Amino acid sequence: MKSTFAIAAAAAILTLAGCQDKATENAAEGNAVASAPAVAPPAGTEWVSTVTKTADGGFLIGNPNAKVKLVEYLSMTCPHCAEFGQTAFPPLRDKYIQKGTVSLEVRNYVRDPIDVTASLIARCNGAEPFLPLTEQLFGYQNAMFDRAQKLTQADQQRIGALPQEQQFGALAPLVGLDEFARQHGISDAKLKTCLSDKAALDELVAIQKKANEELKILGTPTFFINDKMLEATGTWEALEPQLIAAGA
C-alpha cells in the first residue's frame, strides 16, 4: 500500500472485489464433539466485556487464553462482513465467547480510502468501543455507499492532491462519517486527531501487509482457528461446526 492513497472513482471504491462471494461458500461438516466446559472469568467480570488489543494490531474479545482462538479479517466496506456480523456475532458471543472457550480477534483489512477512514474511526477510542463501533459502522454501510456514489471527479482529485495526513479528514464529511462519529460520541477535535494519526495508519498498513504477504488471504471475511486459515467459510452455518470440532 502506498503511503498516500489515491481516491478511486466512486464505482471502484464500492467494488466488491476482495469480498468473498457467498455463492462459493459451503457449510463445513463437523463431527459431533462434546461441548467444552465453561471457563470462569476473573471475579466481577465477564468474558464478553473483556476486550484487549493484540500485538498484531487487532482487538480481542473474550478469554485471551481460550482453547479456540478465532481471528477474523474484515473490511468496513465489505457487505458480506456486515452480514456476517449481524447474523453470526450474536450466537458466537452468547454461545462460545461468553463461556470462555472461544476468543475472537478482529483485524481490519483495509481495501480502499473509505475503508481506511471508517477503520480509523472504529479504532479511535481504543479497545473497549472498537467492536460496538464496528457493528454500528456496518449498520451505516448502505448510507455510506449512497454518499460515496455521489463523489465527483473533482472531489477525488481535490482529496488526492492533499497531504496524506489530511486526506481521510477531507473524505469523512463527503461520505457522512464525520456525522456518524459525532452521533457516537467522538468530538470533532478527536476525529481530526484520529484521521490524521500516522501511527494508526501505519498499523493498518502493517495489518494488511501481513495478511497479503504472509497469510495470503484472498478476501474478506477470512477466518483463522488456532492459526489455521479456514476455507469456504463466510457464514455462521459454515463456521460453527469448525469451532465445535476445535473444542469450543
Side-chain angles (χ1 to χ4, degrees), residues 59 74-77 107-125 130 133-134 137 144 177 194-195 200 204:
F59 291 95
L74 60 76
S75 294
M76 296 296 194
T77 55
R107 300 178 187 172
N108 293 100
Y109 182 87
V110 291
R111 305 186 303 142
D112 54 65
I114 295 177
D115 199 338
V116 175
T117 307
S119 297
L120 290 170
I121 290 172
R123 301 166 73 88
C124 188
N125 282 332
F130 171 76
L133 278 173
T134 296
L137 279 161
M144 186 170 62
L177 284 171
C194 290
L195 294 182
L204 289 174

Side-chain angles (χ1 to χ4, degrees), residues 22 25 48 61 70 72 74 79-98 102-104 106 131 135 138 221 223 230 233-241 243:
K22 292 198 300 176
E25 295 165 359
V48 293
I61 178 172
L70 177 66
E72 176 186 6
L74 60 76
H80 296 333
C81 298
E83 183 177 352
F84 180 87
Q86 181 180 19
T87 60
F89 182 68
L92 172 62
R93 176 193 61 212
D94 298 342
K95 293 176 66 175
Y96 299 105
I97 296 175
Q98 173 70 31
V102 175
S103 64
L104 169 65
V106 175
L131 284 167
E135 288 184 87
F138 280 145
F223 299 93
L230 307 184
T233 302
T235 65
W236 179 240
E237 291 75 18
L239 176 61
E240 186 177 25
L243 293 174

Side-chain angles (χ1 to χ4, degrees), residues 1-228:
M1 184 178 298
K2 296 180 179 178
S3 60
T4 300
F5 286 83
I7 304 298
I13 286 176
L14 301 182
T15 180
L16 300 188
C19 194
Q20 289 181 355
D21 182 356
K22 292 198 300 176
T24 65
E25 295 165 359
N26 299 305
E29 295 182 0
N31 296 323
V33 177
S35 177
V39 179
T45 68
E46 54 181 354
W47 290 128
V48 293
S49 58
T50 301
V51 185
T52 54
K53 190 171 183 183
T54 72
D56 289 303
F59 291 95
L60 183 147
I61 178 172
N63 177 7
N65 298 312
K67 178 180 180 180
V68 180
K69 295 176 172 59
L70 177 66
V71 173
E72 176 186 6
Y73 280 89
L74 60 76
S75 294
M76 296 296 194
T77 55
C78 172
H80 296 333
C81 298
E83 183 177 352
F84 180 87
Q86 181 180 19
T87 60
F89 182 68
L92 172 62
R93 176 193 61 212
D94 298 342
K95 293 176 66 175
Y96 299 105
I97 296 175
Q98 173 70 31
K99 72 174 187 175
T101 56
V102 175
S103 64
L104 169 65
E105 180 185 348
V106 175
R107 300 178 187 172
N108 293 100
Y109 182 87
V110 291
R111 305 186 303 142
D112 54 65
I114 295 177
D115 199 338
V116 175
T117 307
S119 297
L120 290 170
I121 290 172
R123 301 166 73 88
C124 188
N125 282 332
E128 188 173 343
F130 171 76
L131 284 167
L133 278 173
T134 296
E135 288 184 87
Q136 290 151 5
L137 279 161
F138 280 145
Y140 183 69
Q141 199 179 71
N142 287 337
M144 186 170 62
F145 288 172
D146 288 343
R147 293 201 184 196
Q149 292 286 2
K150 298 173 184 177
L151 288 174
T152 66
Q153 187 68 31
D155 291 329
Q156 297 161 40
Q157 291 175 347
R158 176 177 60 82
I159 295 172
L162 293 171
Q164 179 192 40
E165 65 273 12
Q166 298 177 23
Q167 290 185 5
F168 305 110
L171 180 59
L174 295 179
V175 293
L177 284 171
D178 61 334
E179 181 180 326
F180 173 91
R182 288 187 206 103
Q183 291 173 349
H184 291 83
I186 300 174
S187 69
D188 287 350
K190 179 69 171 178
L191 180 63
K192 182 177 180 180
T193 298
C194 290
L195 294 182
S196 60
D197 186 341
K198 185 179 184 303
L201 176 60
D202 288 346
E203 189 167 49
L204 289 174
V205 173
I207 294 170
Q208 189 211 51
K209 182 177 181 181
K210 177 177 180 176
N212 287 342
E213 298 179 6
E214 182 179 332
L215 302 177
K216 310 292 186 183
I217 77 166
L218 300 176
T220 54
T222 291
F223 299 93
F224 291 77
I225 290 180
N226 296 339
D227 297 324
K228 180 182 178 181

